[in-house]
Amino acid sequence: MKIFLSSLAIGLASATCNGQAAPPQPVIVLRAARMLDVTAGKVIAPAEVRIQGERIAAVGTSVSHPASAKVIDLGDTTLMPGLIDVHVHLFLHPGAEDLQTVQESVPQRTLVAADAARLDLLAGFTAERDMGTEGAGCADVAVRNAIDSGLIPGPRMRVSCNAVDLLGGHEDAIGYNPAQHVLSNADFANSAQQLVEVIREQRKGGADFTKIYETGKDSIQDRTFTTPYQYTEAELAAAVAEAARTGGTSASGRGVAVHATGEPGTGYAAAAGVASIDHAYQLNETTMKTMHDKEIYAVPTFAIAEYFTDHAETPERAARERAQQVYHAAEFKKQMAAGVPFAVGSDVGPFPHGTQSREMELMVQYGMKPADVLHADLINGAKLLGWSGQIGELKPGYYADIIAIQGNPLEDSTTLRKVTFVMKNGVVYRHP
């Protein structure tokens, strides 16, 4: 292999020295009945997009066709940017979450994760953020790298390795026989210094960003939502500062995201300057203003709550889950009114991969306009992942991450289930 690579490098160098031009990049023209303009919140008809290599070269109702171009006519569909899910769990599948990490080996779970990435891509999700491997360490780094190298199909990924938790916290192995020393699904950090140490270790292992559990266990009684916090504002600020030291600014995709459902933990996280507050059931007025002012994204994750309600083991559990969803939906309306910025994340994994467009349907159901949901998913999602100006819109110079759906997503959000064509980086992965 080393001999082959060396020979290839010498051959390429020789070609360059001899003035030989690199082979031309393939040109593809996509044609469809309509195209989504995300920024304007409108649909343009008809539509053509010219792709050269991995990038979009031209967009409009018609574009020039070089003689060498391959034309793909997608008929009565709407072209739009590939969807973005900023809260996924590639290493989880439907079933008992706690037992998966105990009964299944990391190699087995990594294979499951690779298939989950494939399913998400085929469903039109061309960029994602994996919010913790749930005990598989930095195995998500291997999945991301395999996707990037073309070894396996999958979305563009931001990965975090394990989430970070304190001893006895939300993801610790509570409820098991202590003598069995069942491992946590997270990496332990019990102080600001330990948070910094864990972040450094994970970044060394290839993590893009850091996920921290800030609240849990949640409860709701008499319409009062309560959840204990895990880290103080100062401790979270230390984590944010360490992420920033390694390039993890809020717009880099390499910052800190928190699992935080309610106050005071959500307030501590916002004040510390995290990149996103995921779940965000409860935000007080100060927290909402801080999130608006600092452009900290709330990621509602309605779809997972709906799934847990529909698949609860007991009627009592279903009632608790339903009450929390009703509470969250009401708070969501308050957050929209306060100008809190949103991104779209489903928490897919405990429910089947490839079905997470349901999250956008629920955001519409709970009061957000379809155009605003798509803006949250595509424009804000690209910003949160650190790929603003590269994905999330159909514009010249952007990566050719393009899908086609049956119908108009501005009129009916369920059309996002009806993906018939998927291209990522100029490569076609799904075709009618």
Side-chain angles (χ1 to χ4, degrees), residues 156-173:
R156 301 178 188 279
M157 296 299 308
R158 294 295 193 193
V159 302
S160 65
C161 299
N162 275 341
V164 186
D165 197 13
L166 51 70
L167 185 66
H170 178 69
E171 274 298 303
D172 204 351

Side-chain angles (χ1 to χ4, degrees), residues 22-35:
Q25 293 178 312
V27 177
I28 298 173
V29 174
L30 302 180
R31 177 185 295 152
R34 297 167 299 278
M35 175 173 59

Side-chain angles (χ1 to χ4, degrees), residues 99-162:
L99 293 181
Q100 290 175 37
T101 62
V102 174
Q103 295 174 341
E104 299 172 7
S105 68
V106 171
Q108 178 183 350
R109 297 184 66 211
T110 304
L111 291 172
V112 169
D115 191 56
R118 178 187 66 86
L119 292 171
D120 288 353
L121 177 64
L122 294 179
F125 288 85
T126 56
E128 294 184 334
R129 188 175 62 161
D130 190 61
M131 291 288 283
T133 62
E134 305 286 330
C138 286
D140 54 356
V141 172
V143 174
R144 179 200 64 198
N145 292 350
I147 293 170
D148 289 347
S149 68
L151 186 63
I152 61 173
R156 301 178 188 279
M157 296 299 308
R158 294 295 193 193
V159 302
S160 65
C161 299
N162 275 341

Side-chain angles (χ1 to χ4, degrees), residues 168-313:
H170 178 69
E171 274 298 303
D172 204 351
I174 298 171
Y176 290 97
N177 176 1
Q180 293 300 319
H181 301 291
V182 176
L183 297 176
S184 170
N185 288 345
D187 288 345
F188 285 131
N190 290 318
S191 66
Q193 180 58 36
Q194 289 180 356
L195 279 168
V196 169
E197 291 171 357
V198 169
I199 289 172
R200 289 176 180 175
E201 183 174 0
Q202 291 183 344
R203 301 287 166 122
K204 178 182 177 181
D208 295 308
F209 73 100
T210 300
K211 178 189 175 179
I212 295 176
Y213 284 107
E214 170 57 5
T215 66
K217 183 178 181 181
D218 306 331
S219 66
I220 186 167
Q221 292 183 340
D222 299 325
R223 299 184 62 80
T224 299
F225 183 85
T226 58
T227 184
Y229 74 90
Q230 298 194 167
Y231 297 103
T232 65
E233 178 187 332
E235 288 170 331
L236 290 175
V240 170
E242 178 59 25
R245 186 187 68 81
T246 61
T249 59
S250 60
S252 67
R254 296 180 53 79
V256 173
V258 294
H259 166 118
T261 53
E263 301 289 351
T266 46
Y268 294 161
V274 301
S276 70
I277 295 178
D278 292 58
H279 310 303
Y281 288 10
Q282 179 194 63
L283 308 171
N284 66 27
E285 290 184 7
T286 300
T287 301
M288 289 189 287
K289 184 178 187 307
T290 301
M291 293 175 70
H292 173 270
D293 293 346
K294 293 185 177 181
E295 201 173 6
I296 296 171
Y297 295 102
V299 183
T301 65
F302 288 120
I304 189 66
E306 178 185 64
Y307 184 85
F308 284 158
T309 299
D310 293 343
H311 295 80
E313 295 178 356

Side-chain angles (χ1 to χ4, degrees), residues 52-90:
Q52 186 158 0
E54 62 182 16
R55 302 274 182 172
I56 295 172
V59 178
T61 54
S62 65
V63 298
S64 62
H65 296 204
S68 62
K70 175 183 179 182
V71 178
I72 301 177
D73 193 333
L74 296 168
D76 187 21
T77 63
T78 301
L79 293 175
M80 60 179 291
L83 300 170
I84 299 171
D85 191 335
V86 302
H87 193 127
V88 309
H89 290 284
L90 293 181

